[in-house]
Each structure stands twice: as C-alpha cells, then as structure tokens.
Amino acid sequence: MKTFVSVFILLTILCSGCIQVNLPQSSSRPTAHFSLGLPTDFKAPQTSVYIREFVSECPAKFRMLSRKGSVLKYDDFAKWAETPSVMLSSAFRKLFGCDNDDIETAKYFLDGCIFAFEKNLETNAAVLRIQYTLTDRQNDKVLFKKMINTSIPFTGDTPEAFAAAMSKAVTEQAEKIRSDIAELKTKK
C-alpha cells in the first residue's frame, strides 16, 4: 500500500509539469476616477449660507450611472472620486464660500436631496435632479423647497465628457440657488 501511494505521488509530481491548461487572455483596463470641475470665478451669495450634507435617493454611488429608458447601467471602469452626495456637498461649500464654522453665523441652511445624477443615453446628456430646501437658521422656517432638473448635452461617449457636463449642471444649479437667495433678501 505504501508503494502504491509513493508511486501515485511520484506520478502526480512528474505529470504535473506535463499538463498544460490554456487560460483565456485577459486585458485589464484601468479604472478612471473623476471629480467635478468647478469654476474659480463663481460669485458666492452675499448672505452667508451653511451647506448641510446632501443626501442621495439615486442609485448612483461611485460608479458612473447611465440610463436608457428604464434600464440602468453602471460603468465599472469610470467612477466618481466620491459619492454624489459628498461631491455636491463639497461643491456647494466651495462655490458658496462656506465652511464648518459658518453654522454659528450663517443666516440660512441649505439642504439637498439628489434624485438623479446620471447620463441619459437617449439624449446623450448629463441629468442632475435635486430637491433643495432653504431654511432660516434663526427660526427653522422653510423659506423654499424646490426641485431643479438640469440636463446638459455633451458630445462623444467618454466619461470625461460626462464629468464635464455634470460639472456644468452643478454650477448652473448653484447659480439658480444663489439667485433665489438674493431674491429673498430683496423681498424682505
């Protein structure tokens, strides 16, 4: 029995070099990460606004999301550097010129709930849909709650073009909110 086991082990060792398995060739593609490109000349509101953390109700997380009709598709090789809620909170803080210390002195609080942060494959456009809530810090009164839907077309089918269009959509919405805040100041 020992001889049989020894011969079996010896044959296994000898034959292991003779067996060749042809595995399919795999070409790996590096994953690219994108963030929002924001303008440096954006004019912040004159009234101080504290930007609360945005929340997201859309399925987009780190991977770029595309929609064709009711079908959603993720791109495994093109990802956002952060989740949309973190990116948009940071973007609005930068554009509105505020930081964490503003919570004590800000006149308003701004919240955002993201419902769409995706590429529409039928229109080849970046789609951004956010519900904004502006609250008076002194009395917690909601001054406005509005849904803004922005669609920015772009050419080509590259993640770079999509990221650039989404950056433009974020900037347009920030300009709209800034304008709405300025109108509140003139109404009082």
PDB file of all heavy atoms in Angstrom, residues 65-94:
ATOM      1  N   LEU A  65     -23.294  56.205 -13.675  1.00  0.00           N
ATOM      2  CA  LEU A  65     -24.570  55.575 -13.966  1.00  0.00           C
ATOM      3  C   LEU A  65     -25.133  56.116 -15.271  1.00  0.00           C
ATOM      4  O   LEU A  65     -25.155  57.322 -15.487  1.00  0.00           O
ATOM      5  CB  LEU A  65     -25.550  55.854 -12.819  1.00  0.00           C
ATOM      6  CG  LEU A  65     -26.951  55.303 -12.908  1.00  0.00           C
ATOM      7  CD1 LEU A  65     -26.928  53.780 -12.897  1.00  0.00           C
ATOM      8  CD2 LEU A  65     -27.780  55.819 -11.748  1.00  0.00           C
ATOM      9  N   SER A  66     -25.587  55.195 -16.134  1.00  0.00           N
ATOM     10  CA  SER A  66     -26.227  55.569 -17.401  1.00  0.00           C
ATOM     11  C   SER A  66     -27.639  55.014 -17.418  1.00  0.00           C
ATOM     12  O   SER A  66     -27.913  53.960 -16.854  1.00  0.00           O
ATOM     13  CB  SER A  66     -25.454  54.975 -18.584  1.00  0.00           C
ATOM     14  OG  SER A  66     -24.132  55.411 -18.585  1.00  0.00           O
ATOM     15  N   ARG A  67     -28.526  55.752 -18.096  1.00  0.00           N
ATOM     16  CA  ARG A  67     -29.922  55.322 -18.205  1.00  0.00           C
ATOM     17  C   ARG A  67     -30.348  55.346 -19.666  1.00  0.00           C
ATOM     18  O   ARG A  67     -30.084  56.287 -20.394  1.00  0.00           O
ATOM     19  CB  ARG A  67     -30.826  56.247 -17.399  1.00  0.00           C
ATOM     20  CG  ARG A  67     -32.309  55.914 -17.509  1.00  0.00           C
ATOM     21  CD  ARG A  67     -33.166  56.922 -16.766  1.00  0.00           C
ATOM     22  NE  ARG A  67     -32.878  56.963 -15.345  1.00  0.00           N
ATOM     23  CZ  ARG A  67     -33.465  56.183 -14.438  1.00  0.00           C
ATOM     24  NH1 ARG A  67     -34.362  55.299 -14.812  1.00  0.00           N
ATOM     25  NH2 ARG A  67     -33.163  56.303 -13.162  1.00  0.00           N
ATOM     26  N   LYS A  68     -31.035  54.279 -20.067  1.00  0.00           N
ATOM     27  CA  LYS A  68     -31.685  54.225 -21.375  1.00  0.00           C
ATOM     28  C   LYS A  68     -33.084  53.703 -21.113  1.00  0.00           C
ATOM     29  O   LYS A  68     -33.271  52.518 -20.849  1.00  0.00           O
ATOM     30  CB  LYS A  68     -30.930  53.318 -22.344  1.00  0.00           C
ATOM     31  CG  LYS A  68     -31.471  53.383 -23.746  1.00  0.00           C
ATOM     32  CD  LYS A  68     -30.568  52.682 -24.732  1.00  0.00           C
ATOM     33  CE  LYS A  68     -31.103  52.915 -26.133  1.00  0.00           C
ATOM     34  NZ  LYS A  68     -30.221  52.335 -27.120  1.00  0.00           N
ATOM     35  N   GLY A  69     -34.052  54.625 -21.163  1.00  0.00           N
ATOM     36  CA  GLY A  69     -35.421  54.260 -20.800  1.00  0.00           C
ATOM     37  C   GLY A  69     -35.476  53.953 -19.311  1.00  0.00           C
ATOM     38  O   GLY A  69     -35.135  54.774 -18.482  1.00  0.00           O
ATOM     39  N   SER A  70     -35.876  52.733 -18.985  1.00  0.00           N
ATOM     40  CA  SER A  70     -35.936  52.338 -17.578  1.00  0.00           C
ATOM     41  C   SER A  70     -34.778  51.414 -17.190  1.00  0.00           C
ATOM     42  O   SER A  70     -34.756  50.878 -16.091  1.00  0.00           O
ATOM     43  CB  SER A  70     -37.271  51.647 -17.294  1.00  0.00           C
ATOM     44  OG  SER A  70     -37.376  50.489 -18.098  1.00  0.00           O
ATOM     45  N   VAL A  71     -33.818  51.253 -18.101  1.00  0.00           N
ATOM     46  CA  VAL A  71     -32.681  50.374 -17.836  1.00  0.00           C
ATOM     47  C   VAL A  71     -31.494  51.199 -17.357  1.00  0.00           C
ATOM     48  O   VAL A  71     -31.081  52.163 -18.007  1.00  0.00           O
ATOM     49  CB  VAL A  71     -32.291  49.574 -19.111  1.00  0.00           C
ATOM     50  CG1 VAL A  71     -31.071  48.715 -18.852  1.00  0.00           C
ATOM     51  CG2 VAL A  71     -33.453  48.736 -19.592  1.00  0.00           C
ATOM     52  N   LEU A  72     -30.951  50.809 -16.208  1.00  0.00           N
ATOM     53  CA  LEU A  72     -29.786  51.472 -15.646  1.00  0.00           C
ATOM     54  C   LEU A  72     -28.559  50.599 -15.870  1.00  0.00           C
ATOM     55  O   LEU A  72     -28.625  49.383 -15.751  1.00  0.00           O
ATOM     56  CB  LEU A  72     -29.964  51.702 -14.148  1.00  0.00           C
ATOM     57  CG  LEU A  72     -31.119  52.608 -13.752  1.00  0.00           C
ATOM     58  CD1 LEU A  72     -31.293  52.636 -12.249  1.00  0.00           C
ATOM     59  CD2 LEU A  72     -30.888  54.007 -14.272  1.00  0.00           C
ATOM     60  N   LYS A  73     -27.442  51.251 -16.176  1.00  0.00           N
ATOM     61  CA  LYS A  73     -26.200  50.523 -16.443  1.00  0.00           C
ATOM     62  C   LYS A  73     -25.064  51.255 -15.740  1.00  0.00           C
ATOM     63  O   LYS A  73     -24.969  52.477 -15.798  1.00  0.00           O
ATOM     64  CB  LYS A  73     -25.953  50.477 -17.951  1.00  0.00           C
ATOM     65  CG  LYS A  73     -24.685  49.799 -18.355  1.00  0.00           C
ATOM     66  CD  LYS A  73     -24.506  49.863 -19.868  1.00  0.00           C
ATOM     67  CE  LYS A  73     -23.101  49.514 -20.246  1.00  0.00           C
ATOM     68  NZ  LYS A  73     -22.812  49.804 -21.631  1.00  0.00           N
ATOM     69  N   TYR A  74     -24.197  50.482 -15.073  1.00  0.00           N
ATOM     70  CA  TYR A  74     -23.040  51.049 -14.391  1.00  0.00           C
ATOM     71  C   TYR A  74     -21.796  50.855 -15.244  1.00  0.00           C
ATOM     72  O   TYR A  74     -21.649  49.852 -15.926  1.00  0.00           O
ATOM     73  CB  TYR A  74     -22.812  50.354 -13.043  1.00  0.00           C
ATOM     74  CG  TYR A  74     -23.890  50.636 -12.036  1.00  0.00           C
ATOM     75  CD1 TYR A  74     -24.898  49.714 -11.791  1.00  0.00           C
ATOM     76  CD2 TYR A  74     -23.895  51.816 -11.316  1.00  0.00           C
ATOM     77  CE1 TYR A  74     -25.884  49.969 -10.861  1.00  0.00           C
ATOM     78  CE2 TYR A  74     -24.878  52.087 -10.384  1.00  0.00           C
ATOM     79  CZ  TYR A  74     -25.866  51.158 -10.160  1.00  0.00           C
ATOM     80  OH  TYR A  74     -26.843  51.418  -9.244  1.00  0.00           O
ATOM     81  N   ASP A  75     -20.897  51.809 -15.162  1.00  0.00           N
ATOM     82  CA  ASP A  75     -19.611  51.692 -15.843  1.00  0.00           C
ATOM     83  C   ASP A  75     -18.588  51.261 -14.792  1.00  0.00           C
ATOM     84  O   ASP A  75     -18.300  52.003 -13.853  1.00  0.00           O
ATOM     85  CB  ASP A  75     -19.207  53.041 -16.456  1.00  0.00           C
ATOM     86  CG  ASP A  75     -17.976  52.957 -17.328  1.00  0.00           C
ATOM     87  OD1 ASP A  75     -17.185  52.000 -17.168  1.00  0.00           O
ATOM     88  OD2 ASP A  75     -17.787  53.845 -18.170  1.00  0.00           O
ATOM     89  N   ASP A  76     -18.056  50.058 -14.949  1.00  0.00           N
ATOM     90  CA  ASP A  76     -17.107  49.534 -13.970  1.00  0.00           C
ATOM     91  C   ASP A  76     -15.733  50.171 -14.077  1.00  0.00           C
ATOM     92  O   ASP A  76     -14.907  50.022 -13.180  1.00  0.00           O
ATOM     93  CB  ASP A  76     -16.974  48.013 -14.127  1.00  0.00           C
ATOM     94  CG  ASP A  76     -18.237  47.297 -13.695  1.00  0.00           C
ATOM     95  OD1 ASP A  76     -18.865  47.739 -12.720  1.00  0.00           O
ATOM     96  OD2 ASP A  76     -18.606  46.294 -14.340  1.00  0.00           O
ATOM     97  N   PHE A  77     -15.459  50.865 -15.178  1.00  0.00           N
ATOM     98  CA  PHE A  77     -14.128  51.424 -15.392  1.00  0.00           C
ATOM     99  C   PHE A  77     -14.084  52.944 -15.295  1.00  0.00           C
ATOM    100  O   PHE A  77     -13.036  53.546 -15.479  1.00  0.00           O
ATOM    101  CB  PHE A  77     -13.577  50.967 -16.745  1.00  0.00           C
ATOM    102  CG  PHE A  77     -13.457  49.472 -16.819  1.00  0.00           C
ATOM    103  CD1 PHE A  77     -14.368  48.722 -17.536  1.00  0.00           C
ATOM    104  CD2 PHE A  77     -12.444  48.809 -16.140  1.00  0.00           C
ATOM    105  CE1 PHE A  77     -14.265  47.343 -17.583  1.00  0.00           C
ATOM    106  CE2 PHE A  77     -12.328  47.432 -16.179  1.00  0.00           C
ATOM    107  CZ  PHE A  77     -13.246  46.694 -16.908  1.00  0.00           C
ATOM    108  N   ALA A  78     -15.221  53.577 -15.030  1.00  0.00           N
ATOM    109  CA  ALA A  78     -15.283  55.027 -14.837  1.00  0.00           C
ATOM    110  C   ALA A  78     -16.075  55.276 -13.562  1.00  0.00           C
ATOM    111  O   ALA A  78     -17.255  54.963 -13.490  1.00  0.00           O
ATOM    112  CB  ALA A  78     -15.947  55.705 -16.024  1.00  0.00           C
ATOM    113  N   LYS A  79     -15.393  55.819 -12.578  1.00  0.00           N
ATOM    114  CA  LYS A  79     -16.022  56.022 -11.278  1.00  0.00           C
ATOM    115  C   LYS A  79     -15.825  57.464 -10.821  1.00  0.00           C
ATOM    116  O   LYS A  79     -14.895  58.139 -11.228  1.00  0.00           O
ATOM    117  CB  LYS A  79     -15.419  55.073 -10.248  1.00  0.00           C
ATOM    118  CG  LYS A  79     -15.662  53.620 -10.584  1.00  0.00           C
ATOM    119  CD  LYS A  79     -15.123  52.699  -9.520  1.00  0.00           C
ATOM    120  CE  LYS A  79     -15.435  51.262  -9.905  1.00  0.00           C
ATOM    121  NZ  LYS A  79     -15.062  50.316  -8.880  1.00  0.00           N
ATOM    122  N   TRP A  80     -16.735  57.886  -9.962  1.00  0.00           N
ATOM    123  CA  TRP A  80     -16.596  59.180  -9.319  1.00  0.00           C
ATOM    124  C   TRP A  80     -15.611  59.038  -8.174  1.00  0.00           C
ATOM    125  O   TRP A  80     -15.531  57.990  -7.533  1.00  0.00           O
ATOM    126  CB  TRP A  80     -17.943  59.675  -8.806  1.00  0.00           C
ATOM    127  CG  TRP A  80     -18.918  59.970  -9.904  1.00  0.00           C
ATOM    128  CD1 TRP A  80     -20.016  59.236 -10.248  1.00  0.00           C
ATOM    129  CD2 TRP A  80     -18.867  61.066 -10.819  1.00  0.00           C
ATOM    130  NE1 TRP A  80     -20.651  59.813 -11.317  1.00  0.00           N
ATOM    131  CE2 TRP A  80     -19.969  60.942 -11.687  1.00  0.00           C
ATOM    132  CE3 TRP A  80     -18.004  62.137 -10.988  1.00  0.00           C
ATOM    133  CZ2 TRP A  80     -20.231  61.844 -12.703  1.00  0.00           C
ATOM    134  CZ3 TRP A  80     -18.260  63.044 -12.003  1.00  0.00           C
ATOM    135  CH2 TRP A  80     -19.362  62.901 -12.845  1.00  0.00           C
ATOM    136  N   ALA A  81     -14.873  60.090  -7.889  1.00  0.00           N
ATOM    137  CA  ALA A  81     -13.896  60.059  -6.805  1.00  0.00           C
ATOM    138  C   ALA A  81     -14.583  59.929  -5.448  1.00  0.00           C
ATOM    139  O   ALA A  81     -14.021  59.363  -4.514  1.00  0.00           O
ATOM    140  CB  ALA A  81     -13.035  61.320  -6.840  1.00  0.00           C
ATOM    141  N   GLU A  82     -15.810  60.451  -5.348  1.00  0.00           N
ATOM    142  CA  GLU A  82     -16.608  60.367  -4.127  1.00  0.00           C
ATOM    143  C   GLU A  82     -18.049  60.100  -4.531  1.00  0.00           C
ATOM    144  O   GLU A  82     -18.403  60.202  -5.696  1.00  0.00           O
ATOM    145  CB  GLU A  82     -16.535  61.681  -3.353  1.00  0.00           C
ATOM    146  CG  GLU A  82     -15.131  62.074  -2.931  1.00  0.00           C
ATOM    147  CD  GLU A  82     -15.065  63.466  -2.336  1.00  0.00           C
ATOM    148  OE1 GLU A  82     -15.414  64.430  -3.051  1.00  0.00           O
ATOM    149  OE2 GLU A  82     -14.668  63.567  -1.175  1.00  0.00           O
ATOM    150  N   THR A  83     -18.899  59.810  -3.573  1.00  0.00           N
ATOM    151  CA  THR A  83     -20.314  59.622  -3.876  1.00  0.00           C
ATOM    152  C   THR A  83     -20.910  60.970  -4.284  1.00  0.00           C
ATOM    153  O   THR A  83     -20.401  62.020  -3.886  1.00  0.00           O
ATOM    154  CB  THR A  83     -21.082  59.064  -2.664  1.00  0.00           C
ATOM    155  OG1 THR A  83     -20.996  59.999  -1.595  1.00  0.00           O
ATOM    156  CG2 THR A  83     -20.547  57.701  -2.238  1.00  0.00           C
ATOM    157  N   PRO A  84     -21.995  60.970  -5.061  1.00  0.00           N
ATOM    158  CA  PRO A  84     -22.605  62.241  -5.467  1.00  0.00           C
ATOM    159  C   PRO A  84     -22.979  63.144  -4.286  1.00  0.00           C
ATOM    160  O   PRO A  84     -22.776  64.355  -4.355  1.00  0.00           O
ATOM    161  CB  PRO A  84     -23.847  61.801  -6.246  1.00  0.00           C
ATOM    162  CG  PRO A  84     -23.463  60.478  -6.810  1.00  0.00           C
ATOM    163  CD  PRO A  84     -22.625  59.827  -5.741  1.00  0.00           C
ATOM    164  N   SER A  85     -23.482  62.580  -3.202  1.00  0.00           N
ATOM    165  CA  SER A  85     -23.878  63.422  -2.066  1.00  0.00           C
ATOM    166  C   SER A  85     -22.669  64.128  -1.447  1.00  0.00           C
ATOM    167  O   SER A  85     -22.739  65.312  -1.108  1.00  0.00           O
ATOM    168  CB  SER A  85     -24.634  62.603  -1.017  1.00  0.00           C
ATOM    169  OG  SER A  85     -23.872  61.497  -0.603  1.00  0.00           O
ATOM    170  N   VAL A  86     -21.550  63.437  -1.322  1.00  0.00           N
ATOM    171  CA  VAL A  86     -20.341  64.054  -0.764  1.00  0.00           C
ATOM    172  C   VAL A  86     -19.780  65.085  -1.747  1.00  0.00           C
ATOM    173  O   VAL A  86     -19.393  66.194  -1.353  1.00  0.00           O
ATOM    174  CB  VAL A  86     -19.289  62.971  -0.422  1.00  0.00           C
ATOM    175  CG1 VAL A  86     -17.949  63.605  -0.051  1.00  0.00           C
ATOM    176  CG2 VAL A  86     -19.788  62.081   0.705  1.00  0.00           C
ATOM    177  N   MET A  87     -19.750  64.731  -3.040  1.00  0.00           N
ATOM    178  CA  MET A  87     -19.232  65.671  -4.047  1.00  0.00           C
ATOM    179  C   MET A  87     -20.044  66.945  -4.096  1.00  0.00           C
ATOM    180  O   MET A  87     -19.485  68.052  -4.170  1.00  0.00           O
ATOM    181  CB  MET A  87     -19.222  65.021  -5.443  1.00  0.00           C
ATOM    182  CG  MET A  87     -17.998  64.215  -5.722  1.00  0.00           C
ATOM    183  SD  MET A  87     -17.777  63.808  -7.468  1.00  0.00           S
ATOM    184  CE  MET A  87     -19.291  62.978  -7.880  1.00  0.00           C
ATOM    185  N   LEU A  88     -21.373  66.820  -4.072  1.00  0.00           N
ATOM    186  CA  LEU A  88     -22.222  68.008  -4.176  1.00  0.00           C
ATOM    187  C   LEU A  88     -22.180  68.857  -2.902  1.00  0.00           C
ATOM    188  O   LEU A  88     -22.196  70.089  -2.984  1.00  0.00           O
ATOM    189  CB  LEU A  88     -23.649  67.615  -4.534  1.00  0.00           C
ATOM    190  CG  LEU A  88     -23.791  67.153  -5.979  1.00  0.00           C
ATOM    191  CD1 LEU A  88     -25.160  66.582  -6.250  1.00  0.00           C
ATOM    192  CD2 LEU A  88     -23.506  68.288  -6.930  1.00  0.00           C
ATOM    193  N   SER A  89     -22.112  68.224  -1.751  1.00  0.00           N
ATOM    194  CA  SER A  89     -21.964  68.997  -0.510  1.00  0.00           C
ATOM    195  C   SER A  89     -20.679  69.817  -0.568  1.00  0.00           C
ATOM    196  O   SER A  89     -20.679  71.014  -0.272  1.00  0.00           O
ATOM    197  CB  SER A  89     -21.927  68.060   0.707  1.00  0.00           C
ATOM    198  OG  SER A  89     -23.108  67.321   0.816  1.00  0.00           O
ATOM    199  N   SER A  90     -19.594  69.182  -0.964  1.00  0.00           N
ATOM    200  CA  SER A  90     -18.301  69.869  -1.072  1.00  0.00           C
ATOM    201  C   SER A  90     -18.328  70.959  -2.138  1.00  0.00           C
ATOM    202  O   SER A  90     -17.785  72.054  -1.937  1.00  0.00           O
ATOM    203  CB  SER A  90     -17.192  68.871  -1.402  1.00  0.00           C
ATOM    204  OG  SER A  90     -17.050  67.946  -0.377  1.00  0.00           O
ATOM    205  N   ALA A  91     -18.957  70.655  -3.272  1.00  0.00           N
ATOM    206  CA  ALA A  91     -19.019  71.630  -4.363  1.00  0.00           C
ATOM    207  C   ALA A  91     -19.776  72.886  -3.937  1.00  0.00           C
ATOM    208  O   ALA A  91     -19.319  74.007  -4.181  1.00  0.00           O
ATOM    209  CB  ALA A  91     -19.683  71.004  -5.590  1.00  0.00           C
ATOM    210  N   PHE A  92     -20.921  72.721  -3.287  1.00  0.00           N
ATOM    211  CA  PHE A  92     -21.694  73.880  -2.845  1.00  0.00           C
ATOM    212  C   PHE A  92     -20.954  74.661  -1.766  1.00  0.00           C
ATOM    213  O   PHE A  92     -21.014  75.890  -1.730  1.00  0.00           O
ATOM    214  CB  PHE A  92     -23.092  73.466  -2.388  1.00  0.00           C
ATOM    215  CG  PHE A  92     -24.100  73.479  -3.501  1.00  0.00           C
ATOM    216  CD1 PHE A  92     -24.186  72.425  -4.389  1.00  0.00           C
ATOM    217  CD2 PHE A  92     -24.935  74.565  -3.684  1.00  0.00           C
ATOM    218  CE1 PHE A  92     -25.091  72.437  -5.429  1.00  0.00           C
ATOM    219  CE2 PHE A  92     -25.851  74.598  -4.715  1.00  0.00           C
ATOM    220  CZ  PHE A  92     -25.927  73.533  -5.605  1.00  0.00           C
ATOM    221  N   ARG A  93     -20.246  73.966  -0.892  1.00  0.00           N
ATOM    222  CA  ARG A  93     -19.458  74.678   0.129  1.00  0.00           C
ATOM    223  C   ARG A  93     -18.379  75.527  -0.535  1.00  0.00           C
ATOM    224  O   ARG A  93     -18.146  76.664  -0.139  1.00  0.00           O
ATOM    225  CB  ARG A  93     -18.831  73.690   1.107  1.00  0.00           C
ATOM    226  CG  ARG A  93     -19.813  73.141   2.097  1.00  0.00           C
ATOM    227  CD  ARG A  93     -19.165  72.282   3.162  1.00  0.00           C
ATOM    228  NE  ARG A  93     -20.213  71.681   3.962  1.00  0.00           N
ATOM    229  CZ  ARG A  93     -20.489  70.387   3.995  1.00  0.00           C
ATOM    230  NH1 ARG A  93     -19.736  69.541   3.326  1.00  0.00           N
ATOM    231  NH2 ARG A  93     -21.481  69.935   4.723  1.00  0.00           N
ATOM    232  N   LYS A  94     -17.746  74.959  -1.542  1.00  0.00           N
ATOM    233  CA  LYS A  94     -16.693  75.705  -2.236  1.00  0.00           C
ATOM    234  C   LYS A  94     -17.291  76.881  -3.009  1.00  0.00           C
ATOM    235  O   LYS A  94     -16.801  78.002  -2.926  1.00  0.00           O
ATOM    236  CB  LYS A  94     -15.945  74.778  -3.182  1.00  0.00           C
ATOM    237  CG  LYS A  94     -14.809  75.463  -3.907  1.00  0.00           C
ATOM    238  CD  LYS A  94     -14.046  74.514  -4.788  1.00  0.00           C
ATOM    239  CE  LYS A  94     -12.934  75.267  -5.502  1.00  0.00           C
ATOM    240  NZ  LYS A  94     -12.215  74.441  -6.442  1.00  0.00           N
TER     241      LYS A  94
END
